[in-house]
């Protein structure tokens, strides 16, 4: 993005990653509507689920319009099919089932979609409770372990 003259501000708790700002997403202090878009990829699951709603509300406060996040999808893929027929849009189909893992803290993750107690419906309900509207959510066919959410104020 920076190579395309887009102003980007990065933040992380780990100074070794050389972010622009060192901090915790749970305690962000920017003016309301400071950013056009706020993005958080593969970070929210590292916090207890009890913090998810307040983090979403904080992200909502500092964006003027959009939030884009990704969280791990712990569901298991039973079947994945991708078809491409000339002159017809490519069609991708996935059939997924929840994982019934009951681990409380798994590979530094407190929660993931599809883990016991963390259904996609629960995640979407929490997003709704934050006052955000989901514009699009999807799991890429070539990256079935990640679920993306594009949200709007």
């Amino acid at each position: 993005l920076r190579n395309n003259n887009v102003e980007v501000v990065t933040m992380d708790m780990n100074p070794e990653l050389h972010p622009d700002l060192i901090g915790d997403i749970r305690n962000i202090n920017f003016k309301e509507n400071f950013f056009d878009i706020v993005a958080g990829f593969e970070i929210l699951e590292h916090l207890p689920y009890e913090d998810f709603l307040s983090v979403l509300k904080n992200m909502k406060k500092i964006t003027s319009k959009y939030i884009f996040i990704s969280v791990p999808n712990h569901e298991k893929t039973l079947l994945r099919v991708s078809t491409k027929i000339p002159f017809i849009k490519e069609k991708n189909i996935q059939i997924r089932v929840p994982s019934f893992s009951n681990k409380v803290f798994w590979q530094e993750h407190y929660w993931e979609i599809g883990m016991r107690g963390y259904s996609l419906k629960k995640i979407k309900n929490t997003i709704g409770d934050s006052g955000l509207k989901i514009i699009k959510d999807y799991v890429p066919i070539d990256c079935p372990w990640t679920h993306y959410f594009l949200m709007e104020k």
Side-chain angles (χ1 to χ4, degrees):
L1 290 173
R2 286 181 174 146
N3 292 339
N4 292 312
N5 296 320
V6 175
E7 185 178 352
V8 175
V9 177
T10 61
M11 185 173 87
D12 201 289
M13 293 174 69
N14 185 348
E16 293 177 13
L17 296 175
H18 307 289
D20 298 319
L21 302 169
I22 298 168
D24 187 325
I25 191 72
R26 292 172 287 194
N27 301 309
I28 46 181
N29 283 322
F30 291 98
K31 294 179 188 173
E32 286 191 34
N33 303 318
F34 189 79
F35 297 103
D36 295 325
I37 185 168
V38 175
F41 301 111
E42 306 294 315
I43 60 168
L44 299 171
E45 67 280 357
H46 294 273
L47 305 173
Y49 193 80
E50 296 74 33
D51 293 337
F52 185 44
L53 180 60
S54 65
V55 167
L56 289 172
K57 286 180 178 180
N58 284 341
M59 294 171 91
K60 178 183 171 193
K61 180 181 144 198
I62 64 171
T63 186
S64 62
K65 191 153 187 164
Y66 297 109
I67 296 173
F68 192 33
I69 65 170
S70 69
V71 294
N73 191 322
H74 199 72
E75 295 174 322
K76 303 300 177 204
T77 302
L78 289 179
L79 176 68
R80 185 177 348 163
V81 178
S82 181
T83 61
K84 176 70 174 129
I85 300 170
F87 309 109
I88 297 176
K89 186 179 175 185
E90 182 177 7
K91 197 68 169 163
N92 298 306
I93 300 168
Q94 293 187 62
I95 298 174
R96 303 178 61 85
V97 295
S99 168
F100 295 105
S101 171
N102 56 5
K103 295 179 182 176
V104 176
F105 193 77
W106 185 74
Q107 293 186 356
E108 299 183 7
H109 294 179
Y110 285 93
W111 58 277
E112 294 183 2
I113 294 171
M115 288 179 74
R116 187 175 302 226
Y118 302 100
S119 67
L120 179 58
K121 182 178 179 181
K122 179 177 183 168
I123 307 307
K124 287 182 174 184
N125 285 342
T126 301
I127 291 170
D129 291 345
S130 74
L132 292 165
K133 177 185 172 193
I134 298 173
I135 298 172
K136 183 173 183 175
D137 73 287
Y138 61 97
V139 176
I141 193 86
D142 59 346
C143 185
W145 48 86
T146 303
H147 200 115
Y148 291 90
F149 296 91
L150 178 59
M151 299 163 283
E152 185 175 41
K153 273 183 132 171

